[in-house]
Amino acid sequence: MTRSEAVNFLLNHPVQFAHMLGFNKLIESLHDEWIKDMMLGKDDATLQGHRGSYKTTCLSVALSLIIILLPNAHTLFMRKTDTDVKEVIKQVGNILKDPHTLYFVRCIYGVDLKLTVDSSTEISTNLCRDIKGTSQLVGVGIGSSLTGKHYDRIFTDDIVNLSDRISRAERERTKIVYQELQNVKNRGGRIYNTGTPWHKDDCFSL
């Protein structure tokens, strides 16, 4: 496969790539558009869907493809708790280590993909040539400090949950953190939200 063929395949057929990785329940007619928008969209956006619609799976695939195809972009990933974050960061790491991923990276860059940072909250690879020192992907829980941090892409996933339904204080806390993300987003950057609304006055009302 040539470099351009590999790039075009990952950009235009991300669900076929996901099927190679074993995510066989993703549907091309629906999830291709979700993943493409997560990767390439320009404006802030929100994807609301019911549980079991594979939003988070699509997000894991998209985060992996951003690391590969936009290696100098810096991405923040936020979920409700640190434990929730680790689950997705681990899945992204597994995708990047998969033999199919390694094949595509070799076709595109002519090098073997190596994870230079591989922790429960951060991932970076030898594809990144940015000198800032920030990892390509950083995961945080909603209670983490964001002071002084800046990212090109920010993804929130399920930062609204049952706690927001039963607690007004939690709803307000979530809103404050979400509003702070506008200051964390770099100029020309983007915030993309996925989740399920739980209350008429929760963060999705923003």
Side-chain angles (χ1 to χ4, degrees):
M1 185 179 286
T2 66
R3 181 183 189 277
S4 61
E5 288 172 341
V7 170
N8 287 333
F9 181 83
L10 293 179
L11 286 175
N12 296 309
H13 307 286
V15 169
Q16 288 188 35
F17 172 63
H19 289 171
M20 294 177 182
L21 302 170
F23 300 117
N24 297 317
K25 293 183 179 180
L26 297 189
I27 303 168
E28 289 184 53
S29 60
L30 174 64
H31 297 121
D32 260 341
E33 296 309 311
W34 288 7
I35 297 172
K36 288 179 189 178
D37 188 36
M38 291 172 182
M39 281 195 293
L40 304 173
K42 301 297 183 185
D43 299 324
D44 289 358
T46 296
L47 173 65
Q48 291 184 350
H50 61 80
R51 290 187 167 191
S53 57
Y54 302 105
K55 300 183 302 296
T56 303
T57 301
C58 288
L59 183 53
S60 296
V61 174
L63 290 171
S64 304
L65 291 175
I66 289 170
I67 287 172
I68 295 167
L69 298 174
L70 301 168
N72 292 324
H74 298 286
T75 301
L76 179 70
F77 173 68
M78 176 177 283
R79 294 189 96 184
K80 197 67 160 179
T81 69
D82 292 339
T83 302
D84 295 334
V85 166
K86 293 174 183 177
E87 173 189 354
V88 173
I89 299 295
K90 181 178 181 180
Q91 184 160 266
V92 172
N94 289 340
I95 291 172
L96 293 173
K97 295 168 190 172
D98 186 276
H100 296 92
T101 306
L102 301 180
Y103 169 76
F104 279 103
V105 169
R106 205 171 295 117
C107 290
I108 295 170
Y109 296 103
V111 300
D112 292 326
L113 179 65
K114 291 181 171 44
L115 272 63
T116 55
V117 178
D118 183 15
S119 74
S120 60
T121 57
E122 295 187 33
I123 290 177
S124 209
T125 73
N126 59 328
L127 303 180
C128 182
R129 293 292 180 263
D130 188 272
I131 62 172
K132 293 177 184 175
T134 306
S135 293
Q136 287 174 271
L137 175 63
V138 176
V140 297
I142 201 169
S144 301
S145 172
L146 298 172
T147 304
K149 296 180 179 178
H150 299 282
Y151 295 90
D152 305 304
R153 282 171 168 74
I154 299 171
F155 290 89
T156 75
D157 182 44
D158 288 333
I159 61 169
V160 175
N161 64 12
L162 180 60
S163 299
D164 297 80
R165 184 173 192 169
I166 62 179
S167 168
R168 181 171 181 269
E170 183 64 22
R171 291 195 295 274
E172 294 307 312
R173 183 176 81 108
T174 304
K175 287 179 182 179
I176 290 170
V177 172
Y178 181 74
Q179 288 169 322
E180 177 62 20
L181 293 179
Q182 292 293 343
N183 299 321
V184 174
K185 180 178 69 173
N186 283 333
R187 187 184 302 274
R190 185 190 196 209
I191 299 176
Y192 191 102
N193 312 291
T194 55
T196 304
W198 284 87
H199 188 279
K200 63 180 178 62
D201 194 36
D202 65 26
C203 189
F204 280 113
S205 66
L206 299 178

